[in-house]
Amino acid sequence: MTLALKEAEKAAAAEEVPAGCIIINTAEDREMPVGAILGRAHNQTELLRDPTAHAEMIAITQAASTIGDWRLTDTILYVTKEPCPMCAGGIVLARVPTVVYGVPDPKRGGALSVFNILDHPDLNHRCEVVTGVMEDQCREILQGFFRARR
């Protein structure tokens, strides 16, 4: 999560909503070691003028390119704030088995807070979800960003 926070700091410095994401390898049979970073990103919606340029979506694309497969089984996705419904949908489609996030998003959360996309019983894939990791640090970067904008 420390690396995801560093990505969130990059987003804040670029005047983007400070969310950061890291996807790591957990497969022992890949050419890269367990724990290797497969994708890393921060929000870039303003820079790219693209509403889909969320940290998770960019990191998923990078990770798929790195391993040469759209199925991101044997990975863990770390993100500083709860994925939105779009990102949660992308995570499910990519078959990410574990999602770890820092702070919930009570207005737009797609994992647990508003929508339960990551563990929805009618979907073909469900994720293990771990919440509250480095929650105080993740909350502070978001709150600081929005305080500065007011």
Side-chain angles (χ1 to χ4, degrees):
M1 188 62 77
T2 300
L3 295 174
L5 273 165
K6 288 188 184 302
E7 289 296 318
E9 290 168 2
K10 291 178 189 176
E15 299 185 16
E16 300 273 0
V17 172
C21 181
I22 301 290
I23 301 175
I24 66 162
N25 177 47
T26 61
E28 294 184 15
D29 61 344
R30 287 199 179 116
E31 293 180 10
M32 69 274 310
V34 169
I37 296 171
L38 303 174
R40 114 181 17 223
H42 55 276
N43 278 0
Q44 297 179 46
T45 55
E46 298 297 334
L47 173 70
L48 300 176
R49 301 190 191 290
D50 179 355
T52 69
H54 290 194
E56 300 95 321
M57 301 299 282
I58 297 168
I60 287 169
T61 299
Q62 287 179 2
S65 179
T66 299
I67 66 170
D69 193 347
W70 61 268
R71 294 171 194 87
L72 299 181
T73 58
D74 301 314
T75 64
I76 300 174
L77 184 146
Y78 293 88
V79 65
T80 54
K81 71 178 219 34
E82 181 178 4
C84 72
M86 173 187 68
C87 293
I91 290 165
V92 168
L93 291 172
R95 312 295 196 270
V96 174
T98 305
V99 174
V100 179
Y101 68 83
V103 64
D105 185 346
K107 292 185 179 181
R108 291 170 291 283
L112 299 172
S113 296
V114 180
F115 302 100
N116 183 17
I117 295 170
L118 297 182
D119 191 33
H120 195 282
D122 292 336
L123 297 176
N124 64 329
H125 175 75
R126 283 167 289 292
C127 307
E128 175 187 356
V129 179
V130 179
T131 66
V133 174
M134 298 180 72
E135 184 172 357
D136 291 340
Q137 297 92 322
C138 294
R139 179 175 287 109
E140 180 52 40
I141 193 168
L142 282 163
Q143 288 178 343
F145 174 79
F146 288 111
R147 266 194 307 268
R149 291 183 62 111
R150 290 186 195 124

